[in-house]
Amino acid sequence: MAKGNVFQGIQTTAIHAGEGPDPTTGASAPPLHMSSTFVTENVAGFSAHDLAEDSAFLYARWSNPNVASLEAKIAALQGTQACLCTASGMAAATAIFLTFLSAGDHLIVSDVSYAGVAELARDTLPRLGIEVSTVNLSDLAAVTAAVRPNTRLIHSESPVNPILRLTDLAAVSRIAHSAGALHSCDATFASPLGMNSQALGIDLVMHSITKYIGGHGDAVGGAVAGSAELIAKMRLESAIHHGGILSPFNAWLIARGMATLPLRMKAHASGAQAVAEFLETHPKVTQVMYPGLSSHPQAELAQAQMSNTSGMISFQVGSAAVGRATAQRMIDDLQVIHYAVSLGHHRSLVFWMETAGLMETSFRLDPTQEESYRSFAGDGIFRLSIGLEDAEDLIADLDRVL
Ligand SMILES: *Cc1c(COP(=O)(O)O)cnc(C)c1O
């Protein structure tokens, strides 16, 4: 099984960790292993409980050479001992919740998060007997106040989708650990380049690898990185029993994309900085949120915590009606940027997200929480994912529709 070597430089790690020349053919590029089962050389047990760190490949739901190689690459870049890949980012979140929470346990989750995670936490987990508190994790006093004797997990997201609010992740780790709980963080927006999860004390770092890690908008997948012990538990529960595994082909595509992740993240951040500065000066734009701008309300935390400010921007144009009209002009007239959901791709993407609708469907915030949300998002925001095109072309495209 490919193991993650740790190289000196981050770009060398992204290219070489978890892979090497094929021992049978000498192929320099990793071959694609489309095999659901593997011929075994030893008499082995058939239960997931017989799986060991050094087990040979047995069945693709346990592990597969392409998935194992990608897992080693992500662990090396995130600086953790191990990683588990899943069928999607949502499968990664589900894997965390269903491995580490049981009926009677308490979860503290960010009151704003990826909508799928928000709905999973509000609707599915309580049905299974899990207590859930939705808390503004940028308010540390609120986090401390929410801790209960049965709190097992705090799940954060930073920057938070879609409003780009940050969480002081080291502080949340300290609160979690002093309560005997784990801290998992959805770092999809930050990418492994934007977050030193070790230094921040995060136990489980989750990514939708559909986004920056794959980077090309052609494969859906998820990942959770952490200690060998925690990841082994998740592999047994989530991969082998729940079955939401990543396909070898998606692993192969995503690993190819990931080889250029550090280079791409630099380009995403510098493109986003240029576009955010343009938007800030545009007369039709009423507010811009980007962690690289000094106007971000948590600019100091962004500086301290994010080694790369990533490519995600949100901006407002005024009332919801103006937002909707602008969205329609984008759909009709954008020539470079695609009007579409998702993010982290080489193509730039933009999507209108109206506050009133999200309050009803996904977030259901109390008045104090909604006030914090609206201080970042007003009546609605455009979530803009800056790709790898020339910033001048993106600026011209936005200028045409604003
Ligand atoms: C997209 C996204 C997810 C869900 O990932 P999928 O791969 O679409 O299942 C989870 N968290 C964040 C922050 C995301 O942006």
Side-chain angles (χ1 to χ4, degrees):
M1 199 181 290
K3 286 286 170 219
N5 304 318
V6 177
F7 301 95
Q8 209 62 34
I10 195 93
Q11 186 53 53
T12 314
T13 303
I15 293 171
H16 291 284
E19 61 180 69
D22 183 55
T24 45
T25 63
S28 166
L32 173 56
H33 296 274
M34 295 300 286
S35 187
S36 56
T37 192
F38 298 85
V39 175
T40 55
E41 291 180 343
N42 301 304
V43 180
F46 186 61
S47 160
H49 295 278
D50 296 315
L51 187 74
E53 264 283 295
D54 57 351
S55 292
F57 293 109
L58 179 76
Y59 183 58
R61 182 156 37 77
W62 273 238
S63 192
N64 157 285
N66 295 103
V67 175
S69 165
L70 176 62
E71 288 173 344
K73 206 184 264 305
I74 294 173
L77 216 56
Q78 192 70 62
T80 59
Q81 288 173 331
C83 171
L84 173 76
C85 282
T86 55
S88 65
M90 279 309 299
T94 306
I96 294 171
F97 295 149
L98 297 191
T99 302
F100 297 106
L101 296 169
S102 304
D105 289 346
H106 177 231
L107 164 73
I108 296 174
V109 64
S110 176
D111 64 346
V112 182
S113 67
Y114 179 70
V117 171
E119 292 167 23
L120 174 71
R122 283 160 177 76
D123 299 332
T124 309
L125 299 184
R127 187 161 57 70
L128 303 178
I130 296 161
E131 296 170 24
V132 177
S133 298
T134 54
V135 177
N136 174 357
L137 298 185
S138 71
D139 177 353
L140 294 174
V143 185
T144 305
V147 171
R148 299 177 190 170
N150 56 342
T151 303
R152 295 280 172 273
L153 182 70
I154 301 183
H155 183 74
S156 63
E157 194 176 307
S158 189
V160 81
N161 185 0
I163 61 174
L164 295 164
R165 191 176 65 196
L166 308 181
T167 292
D168 182 339
L169 295 165
V172 168
S173 292
R174 282 193 295 274
I175 296 169
H177 296 156
S178 67
L182 294 172
H183 178 196
S184 58
C185 178
D186 184 339
T188 299
F189 268 40
S191 92
L193 276 297
M195 180 180 295
N196 183 343
S197 56
Q198 302 298 95
L200 297 168
I202 298 163
D203 302 290
L204 295 161
V205 190
M206 176 203 135
H207 294 279
S208 165
I209 61 178
T210 314
K211 315 290 170 57
Y212 285 110
I213 290 183
H216 295 77
D218 49 14
V220 172
V224 186
S227 72
E229 189 195 342
L230 295 179
I231 298 300
K233 273 191 193 157
M234 295 186 66
R235 189 178 302 284
L236 185 128
E237 282 266 354
S238 148
I240 303 180
H241 292 158
H242 306 156
I245 57 154
L246 187 65
S247 80
F249 185 50
N250 279 15
W252 184 84
L253 279 172
I254 292 168
R256 186 171 72 155
M258 195 177 165
T260 54
L261 182 67
L263 289 169
R264 284 189 286 109
M265 290 315 298
K266 266 189 220 160
H268 282 300
S270 73
Q273 187 74 37
V275 174
E277 285 171 10
F278 157 76
L279 288 171
E280 259 197 327
T281 61
H282 198 285
K284 299 271 180 60
V285 175
T286 54
Q287 194 183 55
V288 184
M289 284 290 166
Y290 179 64
L293 289 178
S294 55
S295 60
H296 190 286
Q298 299 157 297
E300 228 171 277
L301 179 60
Q303 280 245 309
Q305 187 169 279
M306 299 185 76
S307 35
N308 175 293
T309 43
S310 199
M312 296 304 300
I313 298 171
S314 76
F315 66 94
Q316 298 173 39
V317 292
S319 70
V322 177
R324 277 196 296 272
T326 308
Q328 190 57 52
R329 274 202 303 284
M330 288 179 171
I331 291 168
D332 295 339
D333 293 334
L334 283 174
Q335 290 173 11
V336 179
I337 302 169
H338 287 185
Y339 187 87
V341 295
S342 204
L343 57 108
H345 304 165
H346 59 328
R347 295 180 193 87
S348 292
L349 305 170
V350 70
F351 204 76
W352 165 245
M353 299 195 150
E354 201 167 308
T355 298
L358 279 170
M359 283 304 133
E360 270 178 44
T361 52
S362 304
F363 299 137
R364 309 165 211 170
L365 301 181
D366 70 30
T368 320
Q369 293 173 328
E370 187 169 335
E371 199 183 306
S372 167
Y373 186 97
R374 283 181 179 273
S375 75
F376 280 80
D379 290 337
I381 44 171
F382 286 95
R383 187 182 71 182
L384 175 59
S385 170
I386 296 300
L388 301 174
E389 303 94 338
D390 298 291
E392 305 80 68
D393 288 326
L394 300 177
I395 288 170
D397 213 24
L398 288 165
D399 205 20
R400 182 166 31 244
V401 296
L402 283 172

